[in-house]
Amino acid sequence: MPFPIHRPRRLRRTESLRRLTRETQLQPENFIEPLFLIPGEGQVKPISSMPGIAQLSVDQAVKQCEEAKSLGLGGVILFGIPETKDEFASGAYDPDGIVQQGVRAIKAAVPDLLVITDVCNCEYTSHGHCGHIVDNDVDNDVTLDWLARSAVSHAAAGADIVAPSDMMDGRVAAIRSALDQAGHPLVPIMSYAAKYASGFYGPFREAAESTPQFGDRRSYQMDPPNAREAMREIELDLEEGADMIIVKPALAYLDIIAAARNRFDVPIAAYQVSGEYSMIMAAVQNGWVDYERVMFESLTAIKRAGATMIINYFAKPAARLL
Ligand code: PBG
């Protein structure tokens, strides 16, 4: 054997060579920032399990959105924590609910910023489940009606995209037909098509005050060991009219993102969820890992796996550094 002709290290020798040959680039326009809206004015309530993230009253969220726009973020996704919760999630589809107010205020102040709304009932039900409870389980078809009403109320308030995250069967079709009938045929649906029943949502449930008061979400969210089932869920949502799909969580499900990328020709979003963020931040705060390196490495992995967009809590700090 002669001395090796192939020396992959040649292309890694300097930063300019590495930059030239880099396969994956992160861009602020592919980041979507989650915002948690609460009632009131001038409110910024830090979420203890998510360092750097806070619940915001609408006026404060508007300020964050102005900054999101100036940083060039792709958009924001809104979650709402209503004044009161009830068995019927009425705050979710109240035309004057917290998310609906938020959308109106943000679109009035920052019209060019893309506003996505999370369509789900768990933040609005007294029991914390994602729909109407019958015999200790969520009744699918009654819940569809609530979801459709929520989506229409978000679109009427000016939402650019609606994103159903409940994992009920048939919700994309129900939402599509309700939007069309209400005169919103051009509002796209970004469906959380492959959403797993994950332990990584823990901190979000503090942030959104949506922990189920009994049981868990395993009868509607997906079982983590299943990959083929994710392809079927995505296929069904696309057949029902989804324009884009979401895989969630992200880092523990990179195989699902990659498989979906190979199989479906629609934009794919991945959601780097609260627990993923909090684990990194906890290690950063202990001095165990480097903040910037691990933030960018985790986001890059998600993009490299095939995600077009990343919904994530690092959106602003990452955009500032890019
Ligand atoms: C449900 C919803 C959840 C998240 C987004 N939408 C939580 C859940 O299903 O319990 C999780 C997001 C995160 O953990 O960052 N409406």
PDB file of all heavy atoms in Angstrom, residues 10-47:
ATOM      1  N   ARG A  10      -7.586  16.986   4.626  1.00  0.00           N
ATOM      2  CA  ARG A  10      -7.227  18.153   3.793  1.00  0.00           C
ATOM      3  C   ARG A  10      -8.318  19.218   3.804  1.00  0.00           C
ATOM      4  O   ARG A  10      -8.034  20.408   3.805  1.00  0.00           O
ATOM      5  CB  ARG A  10      -7.024  17.716   2.331  1.00  0.00           C
ATOM      6  CG  ARG A  10      -5.702  17.095   2.050  1.00  0.00           C
ATOM      7  CD  ARG A  10      -5.564  16.795   0.547  1.00  0.00           C
ATOM      8  NE  ARG A  10      -4.579  15.759   0.369  1.00  0.00           N
ATOM      9  CZ  ARG A  10      -4.802  14.558  -0.160  1.00  0.00           C
ATOM     10  NH1 ARG A  10      -5.997  14.254  -0.635  1.00  0.00           N
ATOM     11  NH2 ARG A  10      -3.848  13.676  -0.235  1.00  0.00           N
ATOM     12  N   LEU A  11      -9.556  18.740   3.781  1.00  0.00           N
ATOM     13  CA  LEU A  11     -10.670  19.699   3.694  1.00  0.00           C
ATOM     14  C   LEU A  11     -11.100  20.226   5.066  1.00  0.00           C
ATOM     15  O   LEU A  11     -12.043  21.000   5.161  1.00  0.00           O
ATOM     16  CB  LEU A  11     -11.862  19.065   2.972  1.00  0.00           C
ATOM     17  CG  LEU A  11     -11.599  18.662   1.518  1.00  0.00           C
ATOM     18  CD1 LEU A  11     -12.881  18.140   0.873  1.00  0.00           C
ATOM     19  CD2 LEU A  11     -11.058  19.838   0.701  1.00  0.00           C
ATOM     20  N   ARG A  12     -10.431  19.777   6.103  1.00  0.00           N
ATOM     21  CA  ARG A  12     -10.790  20.250   7.446  1.00  0.00           C
ATOM     22  C   ARG A  12      -9.730  21.153   8.029  1.00  0.00           C
ATOM     23  O   ARG A  12      -9.825  21.586   9.168  1.00  0.00           O
ATOM     24  CB  ARG A  12     -10.925  19.062   8.413  1.00  0.00           C
ATOM     25  CG  ARG A  12     -12.024  18.120   8.080  1.00  0.00           C
ATOM     26  CD  ARG A  12     -12.064  17.002   9.130  1.00  0.00           C
ATOM     27  NE  ARG A  12     -12.717  15.851   8.550  1.00  0.00           N
ATOM     28  CZ  ARG A  12     -12.293  14.599   8.712  1.00  0.00           C
ATOM     29  NH1 ARG A  12     -11.210  14.333   9.440  1.00  0.00           N
ATOM     30  NH2 ARG A  12     -12.940  13.627   8.140  1.00  0.00           N
ATOM     31  N   ARG A  13      -8.693  21.426   7.227  1.00  0.00           N
ATOM     32  CA  ARG A  13      -7.487  22.038   7.772  1.00  0.00           C
ATOM     33  C   ARG A  13      -7.713  23.442   8.314  1.00  0.00           C
ATOM     34  O   ARG A  13      -7.199  23.796   9.359  1.00  0.00           O
ATOM     35  CB  ARG A  13      -6.399  22.053   6.697  1.00  0.00           C
ATOM     36  CG  ARG A  13      -4.980  22.258   7.227  1.00  0.00           C
ATOM     37  CD  ARG A  13      -3.943  22.013   6.144  1.00  0.00           C
ATOM     38  NE  ARG A  13      -4.216  22.813   4.956  1.00  0.00           N
ATOM     39  CZ  ARG A  13      -3.810  24.055   4.770  1.00  0.00           C
ATOM     40  NH1 ARG A  13      -3.133  24.673   5.711  1.00  0.00           N
ATOM     41  NH2 ARG A  13      -4.107  24.706   3.653  1.00  0.00           N
ATOM     42  N   THR A  14      -8.487  24.237   7.592  1.00  0.00           N
ATOM     43  CA  THR A  14      -8.696  25.621   8.052  1.00  0.00           C
ATOM     44  C   THR A  14     -10.196  25.920   8.111  1.00  0.00           C
ATOM     45  O   THR A  14     -11.001  25.252   7.466  1.00  0.00           O
ATOM     46  CB  THR A  14      -8.071  26.641   7.073  1.00  0.00           C
ATOM     47  OG1 THR A  14      -8.747  26.514   5.815  1.00  0.00           O
ATOM     48  CG2 THR A  14      -6.587  26.391   6.870  1.00  0.00           C
ATOM     49  N   GLU A  15     -10.527  26.980   8.826  1.00  0.00           N
ATOM     50  CA  GLU A  15     -11.942  27.354   8.920  1.00  0.00           C
ATOM     51  C   GLU A  15     -12.492  27.713   7.543  1.00  0.00           C
ATOM     52  O   GLU A  15     -13.633  27.388   7.226  1.00  0.00           O
ATOM     53  CB  GLU A  15     -12.138  28.497   9.928  1.00  0.00           C
ATOM     54  CG  GLU A  15     -13.567  29.026  10.053  1.00  0.00           C
ATOM     55  CD  GLU A  15     -14.646  27.977  10.366  1.00  0.00           C
ATOM     56  OE1 GLU A  15     -14.339  26.870  10.864  1.00  0.00           O
ATOM     57  OE2 GLU A  15     -15.826  28.273  10.074  1.00  0.00           O
ATOM     58  N   SER A  16     -11.667  28.310   6.671  1.00  0.00           N
ATOM     59  CA  SER A  16     -12.223  28.661   5.350  1.00  0.00           C
ATOM     60  C   SER A  16     -12.530  27.415   4.521  1.00  0.00           C
ATOM     61  O   SER A  16     -13.523  27.384   3.789  1.00  0.00           O
ATOM     62  CB  SER A  16     -11.325  29.639   4.595  1.00  0.00           C
ATOM     63  OG  SER A  16      -9.987  29.442   4.907  1.00  0.00           O
ATOM     64  N   LEU A  17     -11.720  26.383   4.656  1.00  0.00           N
ATOM     65  CA  LEU A  17     -12.031  25.135   3.945  1.00  0.00           C
ATOM     66  C   LEU A  17     -13.271  24.465   4.545  1.00  0.00           C
ATOM     67  O   LEU A  17     -14.143  23.975   3.828  1.00  0.00           O
ATOM     68  CB  LEU A  17     -10.847  24.165   4.039  1.00  0.00           C
ATOM     69  CG  LEU A  17      -9.679  24.470   3.102  1.00  0.00           C
ATOM     70  CD1 LEU A  17      -8.439  23.704   3.548  1.00  0.00           C
ATOM     71  CD2 LEU A  17     -10.045  24.077   1.666  1.00  0.00           C
ATOM     72  N   ARG A  18     -13.339  24.482   5.856  1.00  0.00           N
ATOM     73  CA  ARG A  18     -14.505  23.856   6.504  1.00  0.00           C
ATOM     74  C   ARG A  18     -15.780  24.601   6.145  1.00  0.00           C
ATOM     75  O   ARG A  18     -16.817  23.996   5.850  1.00  0.00           O
ATOM     76  CB  ARG A  18     -14.323  23.845   8.034  1.00  0.00           C
ATOM     77  CG  ARG A  18     -13.229  22.901   8.501  1.00  0.00           C
ATOM     78  CD  ARG A  18     -13.252  22.712  10.010  1.00  0.00           C
ATOM     79  NE  ARG A  18     -12.926  23.914  10.760  1.00  0.00           N
ATOM     80  CZ  ARG A  18     -11.690  24.282  11.112  1.00  0.00           C
ATOM     81  NH1 ARG A  18     -10.653  23.529  10.790  1.00  0.00           N
ATOM     82  NH2 ARG A  18     -11.495  25.389  11.794  1.00  0.00           N
ATOM     83  N   ARG A  19     -15.687  25.917   6.085  1.00  0.00           N
ATOM     84  CA  ARG A  19     -16.862  26.719   5.764  1.00  0.00           C
ATOM     85  C   ARG A  19     -17.322  26.452   4.333  1.00  0.00           C
ATOM     86  O   ARG A  19     -18.514  26.333   4.052  1.00  0.00           O
ATOM     87  CB  ARG A  19     -16.513  28.200   5.947  1.00  0.00           C
ATOM     88  CG  ARG A  19     -17.712  29.070   6.174  1.00  0.00           C
ATOM     89  CD  ARG A  19     -17.284  30.459   6.513  1.00  0.00           C
ATOM     90  NE  ARG A  19     -16.533  30.990   5.369  1.00  0.00           N
ATOM     91  CZ  ARG A  19     -16.472  32.260   5.052  1.00  0.00           C
ATOM     92  NH1 ARG A  19     -17.065  33.155   5.785  1.00  0.00           N
ATOM     93  NH2 ARG A  19     -15.781  32.664   4.007  1.00  0.00           N
ATOM     94  N   LEU A  20     -16.350  26.335   3.436  1.00  0.00           N
ATOM     95  CA  LEU A  20     -16.659  26.097   2.020  1.00  0.00           C
ATOM     96  C   LEU A  20     -17.361  24.760   1.797  1.00  0.00           C
ATOM     97  O   LEU A  20     -18.209  24.628   0.922  1.00  0.00           O
ATOM     98  CB  LEU A  20     -15.345  26.139   1.225  1.00  0.00           C
ATOM     99  CG  LEU A  20     -15.449  26.007  -0.292  1.00  0.00           C
ATOM    100  CD1 LEU A  20     -16.038  27.272  -0.882  1.00  0.00           C
ATOM    101  CD2 LEU A  20     -14.073  25.716  -0.897  1.00  0.00           C
ATOM    102  N   THR A  21     -17.005  23.770   2.591  1.00  0.00           N
ATOM    103  CA  THR A  21     -17.502  22.415   2.344  1.00  0.00           C
ATOM    104  C   THR A  21     -18.620  22.011   3.299  1.00  0.00           C
ATOM    105  O   THR A  21     -19.063  20.867   3.291  1.00  0.00           O
ATOM    106  CB  THR A  21     -16.346  21.395   2.473  1.00  0.00           C
ATOM    107  OG1 THR A  21     -15.749  21.550   3.761  1.00  0.00           O
ATOM    108  CG2 THR A  21     -15.294  21.627   1.410  1.00  0.00           C
ATOM    109  N   ARG A  22     -19.072  22.945   4.117  1.00  0.00           N
ATOM    110  CA  ARG A  22     -20.098  22.637   5.130  1.00  0.00           C
ATOM    111  C   ARG A  22     -21.417  22.256   4.462  1.00  0.00           C
ATOM    112  O   ARG A  22     -21.890  22.946   3.568  1.00  0.00           O
ATOM    113  CB  ARG A  22     -20.274  23.865   6.015  1.00  0.00           C
ATOM    114  CG  ARG A  22     -20.978  23.609   7.305  1.00  0.00           C
ATOM    115  CD  ARG A  22     -20.607  24.675   8.330  1.00  0.00           C
ATOM    116  NE  ARG A  22     -19.277  24.491   8.877  1.00  0.00           N
ATOM    117  CZ  ARG A  22     -18.496  25.486   9.346  1.00  0.00           C
ATOM    118  NH1 ARG A  22     -18.918  26.727   9.310  1.00  0.00           N
ATOM    119  NH2 ARG A  22     -17.311  25.217   9.834  1.00  0.00           N
ATOM    120  N   GLU A  23     -22.001  21.161   4.894  1.00  0.00           N
ATOM    121  CA  GLU A  23     -23.205  20.642   4.237  1.00  0.00           C
ATOM    122  C   GLU A  23     -24.505  21.213   4.797  1.00  0.00           C
ATOM    123  O   GLU A  23     -25.545  21.172   4.139  1.00  0.00           O
ATOM    124  CB  GLU A  23     -23.255  19.117   4.379  1.00  0.00           C
ATOM    125  CG  GLU A  23     -22.082  18.418   3.705  1.00  0.00           C
ATOM    126  CD  GLU A  23     -22.077  16.926   3.997  1.00  0.00           C
ATOM    127  OE1 GLU A  23     -23.177  16.338   4.112  1.00  0.00           O
ATOM    128  OE2 GLU A  23     -20.982  16.357   4.119  1.00  0.00           O
ATOM    129  N   THR A  24     -24.473  21.655   6.025  1.00  0.00           N
ATOM    130  CA  THR A  24     -25.713  22.088   6.675  1.00  0.00           C
ATOM    131  C   THR A  24     -25.524  23.488   7.247  1.00  0.00           C
ATOM    132  O   THR A  24     -24.543  23.731   7.943  1.00  0.00           O
ATOM    133  CB  THR A  24     -26.067  21.117   7.834  1.00  0.00           C
ATOM    134  OG1 THR A  24     -26.053  19.786   7.322  1.00  0.00           O
ATOM    135  CG2 THR A  24     -27.424  21.418   8.425  1.00  0.00           C
ATOM    136  N   GLN A  25     -26.441  24.387   6.919  1.00  0.00           N
ATOM    137  CA  GLN A  25     -26.354  25.765   7.430  1.00  0.00           C
ATOM    138  C   GLN A  25     -27.618  26.069   8.228  1.00  0.00           C
ATOM    139  O   GLN A  25     -28.712  25.737   7.792  1.00  0.00           O
ATOM    140  CB  GLN A  25     -26.311  26.783   6.274  1.00  0.00           C
ATOM    141  CG  GLN A  25     -25.409  26.430   5.123  1.00  0.00           C
ATOM    142  CD  GLN A  25     -23.945  26.761   5.390  1.00  0.00           C
ATOM    143  OE1 GLN A  25     -23.637  27.416   6.384  1.00  0.00           O
ATOM    144  NE2 GLN A  25     -23.052  26.306   4.526  1.00  0.00           N
ATOM    145  N   LEU A  26     -27.443  26.727   9.335  1.00  0.00           N
ATOM    146  CA  LEU A  26     -28.602  27.186  10.103  1.00  0.00           C
ATOM    147  C   LEU A  26     -28.932  28.609   9.690  1.00  0.00           C
ATOM    148  O   LEU A  26     -28.029  29.419   9.492  1.00  0.00           O
ATOM    149  CB  LEU A  26     -28.296  27.163  11.599  1.00  0.00           C
ATOM    150  CG  LEU A  26     -28.133  25.784  12.236  1.00  0.00           C
ATOM    151  CD1 LEU A  26     -27.626  25.939  13.663  1.00  0.00           C
ATOM    152  CD2 LEU A  26     -29.447  25.016  12.214  1.00  0.00           C
ATOM    153  N   GLN A  27     -30.221  28.873   9.554  1.00  0.00           N
ATOM    154  CA  GLN A  27     -30.638  30.227   9.179  1.00  0.00           C
ATOM    155  C   GLN A  27     -31.790  30.675  10.063  1.00  0.00           C
ATOM    156  O   GLN A  27     -32.726  29.909  10.285  1.00  0.00           O
ATOM    157  CB  GLN A  27     -31.104  30.248   7.721  1.00  0.00           C
ATOM    158  CG  GLN A  27     -29.954  30.107   6.744  1.00  0.00           C
ATOM    159  CD  GLN A  27     -30.392  29.520   5.420  1.00  0.00           C
ATOM    160  OE1 GLN A  27     -31.254  28.640   5.378  1.00  0.00           O
ATOM    161  NE2 GLN A  27     -29.821  30.016   4.350  1.00  0.00           N
ATOM    162  N   PRO A  28     -31.733  31.925  10.541  1.00  0.00           N
ATOM    163  CA  PRO A  28     -32.823  32.411  11.408  1.00  0.00           C
ATOM    164  C   PRO A  28     -34.198  32.269  10.747  1.00  0.00           C
ATOM    165  O   PRO A  28     -35.191  32.051  11.449  1.00  0.00           O
ATOM    166  CB  PRO A  28     -32.483  33.886  11.619  1.00  0.00           C
ATOM    167  CG  PRO A  28     -31.021  33.996  11.355  1.00  0.00           C
ATOM    168  CD  PRO A  28     -30.676  32.926  10.358  1.00  0.00           C
ATOM    169  N   GLU A  29     -34.256  32.375   9.419  1.00  0.00           N
ATOM    170  CA  GLU A  29     -35.579  32.303   8.776  1.00  0.00           C
ATOM    171  C   GLU A  29     -36.209  30.916   8.875  1.00  0.00           C
ATOM    172  O   GLU A  29     -37.382  30.761   8.593  1.00  0.00           O
ATOM    173  CB  GLU A  29     -35.540  32.783   7.326  1.00  0.00           C
ATOM    174  CG  GLU A  29     -34.581  32.057   6.408  1.00  0.00           C
ATOM    175  CD  GLU A  29     -33.249  32.809   6.246  1.00  0.00           C
ATOM    176  OE1 GLU A  29     -32.700  33.296   7.260  1.00  0.00           O
ATOM    177  OE2 GLU A  29     -32.755  32.895   5.105  1.00  0.00           O
ATOM    178  N   ASN A  30     -35.437  29.929   9.292  1.00  0.00           N
ATOM    179  CA  ASN A  30     -36.009  28.598   9.496  1.00  0.00           C
ATOM    180  C   ASN A  30     -36.325  28.312  10.965  1.00  0.00           C
ATOM    181  O   ASN A  30     -36.704  27.202  11.318  1.00  0.00           O
ATOM    182  CB  ASN A  30     -35.076  27.515   8.959  1.00  0.00           C
ATOM    183  CG  ASN A  30     -34.798  27.667   7.486  1.00  0.00           C
ATOM    184  OD1 ASN A  30     -33.657  27.614   7.067  1.00  0.00           O
ATOM    185  ND2 ASN A  30     -35.838  27.882   6.693  1.00  0.00           N
ATOM    186  N   PHE A  31     -36.145  29.327  11.814  1.00  0.00           N
ATOM    187  CA  PHE A  31     -36.470  29.137  13.236  1.00  0.00           C
ATOM    188  C   PHE A  31     -37.854  29.692  13.536  1.00  0.00           C
ATOM    189  O   PHE A  31     -38.200  30.793  13.105  1.00  0.00           O
ATOM    190  CB  PHE A  31     -35.494  29.888  14.141  1.00  0.00           C
ATOM    191  CG  PHE A  31     -34.074  29.381  14.115  1.00  0.00           C
ATOM    192  CD1 PHE A  31     -33.028  30.232  14.455  1.00  0.00           C
ATOM    193  CD2 PHE A  31     -33.778  28.068  13.792  1.00  0.00           C
ATOM    194  CE1 PHE A  31     -31.713  29.786  14.451  1.00  0.00           C
ATOM    195  CE2 PHE A  31     -32.462  27.605  13.787  1.00  0.00           C
ATOM    196  CZ  PHE A  31     -31.424  28.471  14.112  1.00  0.00           C
ATOM    197  N   ILE A  32     -38.593  28.943  14.332  1.00  0.00           N
ATOM    198  CA  ILE A  32     -39.893  29.407  14.814  1.00  0.00           C
ATOM    199  C   ILE A  32     -39.824  29.441  16.335  1.00  0.00           C
ATOM    200  O   ILE A  32     -39.444  28.443  16.966  1.00  0.00           O
ATOM    201  CB  ILE A  32     -41.018  28.466  14.339  1.00  0.00           C
ATOM    202  CG1 ILE A  32     -41.088  28.474  12.808  1.00  0.00           C
ATOM    203  CG2 ILE A  32     -42.355  28.858  14.960  1.00  0.00           C
ATOM    204  CD1 ILE A  32     -41.892  27.338  12.222  1.00  0.00           C
ATOM    205  N   GLU A  33     -40.163  30.595  16.901  1.00  0.00           N
ATOM    206  CA  GLU A  33     -40.041  30.746  18.352  1.00  0.00           C
ATOM    207  C   GLU A  33     -41.388  30.561  19.052  1.00  0.00           C
ATOM    208  O   GLU A  33     -42.361  31.245  18.708  1.00  0.00           O
ATOM    209  CB  GLU A  33     -39.511  32.155  18.676  1.00  0.00           C
ATOM    210  CG  GLU A  33     -39.294  32.328  20.155  1.00  0.00           C
ATOM    211  CD  GLU A  33     -38.857  33.732  20.560  1.00  0.00           C
ATOM    212  OE1 GLU A  33     -39.275  34.709  19.940  1.00  0.00           O
ATOM    213  OE2 GLU A  33     -38.108  33.839  21.512  1.00  0.00           O
ATOM    214  N   PRO A  34     -41.466  29.666  20.040  1.00  0.00           N
ATOM    215  CA  PRO A  34     -42.707  29.518  20.810  1.00  0.00           C
ATOM    216  C   PRO A  34     -42.873  30.661  21.808  1.00  0.00           C
ATOM    217  O   PRO A  34     -41.912  31.067  22.453  1.00  0.00           O
ATOM    218  CB  PRO A  34     -42.511  28.194  21.577  1.00  0.00           C
ATOM    219  CG  PRO A  34     -41.310  27.532  20.959  1.00  0.00           C
ATOM    220  CD  PRO A  34     -40.467  28.655  20.423  1.00  0.00           C
ATOM    221  N   LEU A  35     -44.091  31.169  21.939  1.00  0.00           N
ATOM    222  CA  LEU A  35     -44.384  32.212  22.936  1.00  0.00           C
ATOM    223  C   LEU A  35     -45.603  31.782  23.752  1.00  0.00           C
ATOM    224  O   LEU A  35     -46.582  31.275  23.192  1.00  0.00           O
ATOM    225  CB  LEU A  35     -44.680  33.552  22.250  1.00  0.00           C
ATOM    226  CG  LEU A  35     -43.538  34.218  21.464  1.00  0.00           C
ATOM    227  CD1 LEU A  35     -44.052  35.492  20.783  1.00  0.00           C
ATOM    228  CD2 LEU A  35     -42.351  34.540  22.364  1.00  0.00           C
ATOM    229  N   PHE A  36     -45.524  31.999  25.058  1.00  0.00           N
ATOM    230  CA  PHE A  36     -46.610  31.632  25.973  1.00  0.00           C
ATOM    231  C   PHE A  36     -47.326  32.890  26.439  1.00  0.00           C
ATOM    232  O   PHE A  36     -46.732  33.726  27.121  1.00  0.00           O
ATOM    233  CB  PHE A  36     -46.043  30.891  27.193  1.00  0.00           C
ATOM    234  CG  PHE A  36     -45.327  29.622  26.839  1.00  0.00           C
ATOM    235  CD1 PHE A  36     -43.941  29.566  26.789  1.00  0.00           C
ATOM    236  CD2 PHE A  36     -46.053  28.480  26.534  1.00  0.00           C
ATOM    237  CE1 PHE A  36     -43.282  28.382  26.444  1.00  0.00           C
ATOM    238  CE2 PHE A  36     -45.406  27.297  26.194  1.00  0.00           C
ATOM    239  CZ  PHE A  36     -44.017  27.252  26.144  1.00  0.00           C
ATOM    240  N   LEU A  37     -48.589  33.005  26.069  1.00  0.00           N
ATOM    241  CA  LEU A  37     -49.338  34.235  26.371  1.00  0.00           C
ATOM    242  C   LEU A  37     -50.175  34.070  27.633  1.00  0.00           C
ATOM    243  O   LEU A  37     -50.865  33.063  27.800  1.00  0.00           O
ATOM    244  CB  LEU A  37     -50.274  34.579  25.205  1.00  0.00           C
ATOM    245  CG  LEU A  37     -49.615  34.722  23.833  1.00  0.00           C
ATOM    246  CD1 LEU A  37     -50.680  35.111  22.790  1.00  0.00           C
ATOM    247  CD2 LEU A  37     -48.515  35.779  23.880  1.00  0.00           C
ATOM    248  N   ILE A  38     -50.108  35.084  28.490  1.00  0.00           N
ATOM    249  CA  ILE A  38     -50.950  35.098  29.691  1.00  0.00           C
ATOM    250  C   ILE A  38     -51.758  36.402  29.732  1.00  0.00           C
ATOM    251  O   ILE A  38     -51.378  37.394  29.121  1.00  0.00           O
ATOM    252  CB  ILE A  38     -50.108  34.972  30.993  1.00  0.00           C
ATOM    253  CG1 ILE A  38     -48.964  36.007  31.018  1.00  0.00           C
ATOM    254  CG2 ILE A  38     -49.554  33.565  31.143  1.00  0.00           C
ATOM    255  CD1 ILE A  38     -48.210  36.060  32.335  1.00  0.00           C
ATOM    256  N   PRO A  39     -52.867  36.397  30.482  1.00  0.00           N
ATOM    257  CA  PRO A  39     -53.666  37.611  30.600  1.00  0.00           C
ATOM    258  C   PRO A  39     -52.902  38.706  31.355  1.00  0.00           C
ATOM    259  O   PRO A  39     -51.922  38.413  32.042  1.00  0.00           O
ATOM    260  CB  PRO A  39     -54.881  37.169  31.427  1.00  0.00           C
ATOM    261  CG  PRO A  39     -54.886  35.678  31.382  1.00  0.00           C
ATOM    262  CD  PRO A  39     -53.460  35.262  31.199  1.00  0.00           C
ATOM    263  N   GLY A  40     -53.373  39.926  31.208  1.00  0.00           N
ATOM    264  CA  GLY A  40     -52.795  41.036  31.968  1.00  0.00           C
ATOM    265  C   GLY A  40     -51.979  41.958  31.109  1.00  0.00           C
ATOM    266  O   GLY A  40     -52.020  41.883  29.872  1.00  0.00           O
ATOM    267  N   GLU A  41     -51.250  42.835  31.770  1.00  0.00           N
ATOM    268  CA  GLU A  41     -50.422  43.804  31.073  1.00  0.00           C
ATOM    269  C   GLU A  41     -49.088  43.936  31.776  1.00  0.00           C
ATOM    270  O   GLU A  41     -49.021  43.865  33.014  1.00  0.00           O
ATOM    271  CB  GLU A  41     -51.124  45.161  31.066  1.00  0.00           C
ATOM    272  CG  GLU A  41     -51.221  45.759  29.664  1.00  0.00           C
ATOM    273  CD  GLU A  41     -51.659  47.195  29.724  1.00  0.00           C
ATOM    274  OE1 GLU A  41     -52.864  47.417  29.925  1.00  0.00           O
ATOM    275  OE2 GLU A  41     -50.789  48.081  29.561  1.00  0.00           O
ATOM    276  N   GLY A  42     -48.048  44.094  31.026  1.00  0.00           N
ATOM    277  CA  GLY A  42     -46.723  44.281  31.612  1.00  0.00           C
ATOM    278  C   GLY A  42     -46.193  43.049  32.328  1.00  0.00           C
ATOM    279  O   GLY A  42     -45.307  43.143  33.163  1.00  0.00           O
ATOM    280  N   GLN A  43     -46.763  41.883  32.006  1.00  0.00           N
ATOM    281  CA  GLN A  43     -46.381  40.658  32.715  1.00  0.00           C
ATOM    282  C   GLN A  43     -45.276  39.894  31.987  1.00  0.00           C
ATOM    283  O   GLN A  43     -45.413  39.562  30.803  1.00  0.00           O
ATOM    284  CB  GLN A  43     -47.590  39.714  32.813  1.00  0.00           C
ATOM    285  CG  GLN A  43     -48.782  40.283  33.541  1.00  0.00           C
ATOM    286  CD  GLN A  43     -48.526  40.409  35.029  1.00  0.00           C
ATOM    287  OE1 GLN A  43     -48.008  39.487  35.663  1.00  0.00           O
ATOM    288  NE2 GLN A  43     -48.839  41.569  35.580  1.00  0.00           N
ATOM    289  N   VAL A  44     -44.204  39.593  32.726  1.00  0.00           N
ATOM    290  CA  VAL A  44     -43.156  38.702  32.219  1.00  0.00           C
ATOM    291  C   VAL A  44     -42.875  37.732  33.362  1.00  0.00           C
ATOM    292  O   VAL A  44     -42.243  38.108  34.350  1.00  0.00           O
ATOM    293  CB  VAL A  44     -41.869  39.478  31.857  1.00  0.00           C
ATOM    294  CG1 VAL A  44     -40.776  38.527  31.390  1.00  0.00           C
ATOM    295  CG2 VAL A  44     -42.153  40.524  30.775  1.00  0.00           C
ATOM    296  N   LYS A  45     -43.396  36.519  33.269  1.00  0.00           N
ATOM    297  CA  LYS A  45     -43.246  35.567  34.380  1.00  0.00           C
ATOM    298  C   LYS A  45     -42.311  34.442  33.978  1.00  0.00           C
ATOM    299  O   LYS A  45     -42.699  33.539  33.223  1.00  0.00           O
ATOM    300  CB  LYS A  45     -44.607  34.942  34.723  1.00  0.00           C
ATOM    301  CG  LYS A  45     -45.527  35.846  35.461  1.00  0.00           C
ATOM    302  CD  LYS A  45     -46.660  35.025  36.086  1.00  0.00           C
ATOM    303  CE  LYS A  45     -47.705  35.929  36.705  1.00  0.00           C
ATOM    304  NZ  LYS A  45     -49.034  35.294  36.717  1.00  0.00           N
ATOM    305  N   PRO A  46     -41.075  34.481  34.515  1.00  0.00           N
ATOM    306  CA  PRO A  46     -40.105  33.454  34.141  1.00  0.00           C
ATOM    307  C   PRO A  46     -40.630  32.041  34.465  1.00  0.00           C
ATOM    308  O   PRO A  46     -41.322  31.847  35.460  1.00  0.00           O
ATOM    309  CB  PRO A  46     -38.887  33.781  35.003  1.00  0.00           C
ATOM    310  CG  PRO A  46     -39.050  35.211  35.395  1.00  0.00           C
ATOM    311  CD  PRO A  46     -40.535  35.452  35.467  1.00  0.00           C
ATOM    312  N   ILE A  47     -40.280  31.087  33.605  1.00  0.00           N
ATOM    313  CA  ILE A  47     -40.670  29.695  33.812  1.00  0.00           C
ATOM    314  C   ILE A  47     -39.465  28.997  34.437  1.00  0.00           C
ATOM    315  O   ILE A  47     -38.405  28.910  33.812  1.00  0.00           O
ATOM    316  CB  ILE A  47     -41.046  29.058  32.456  1.00  0.00           C
ATOM    317  CG1 ILE A  47     -42.245  29.798  31.843  1.00  0.00           C
ATOM    318  CG2 ILE A  47     -41.333  27.570  32.607  1.00  0.00           C
ATOM    319  CD1 ILE A  47     -42.319  29.714  30.342  1.00  0.00           C
TER     320      ILE A  47
END
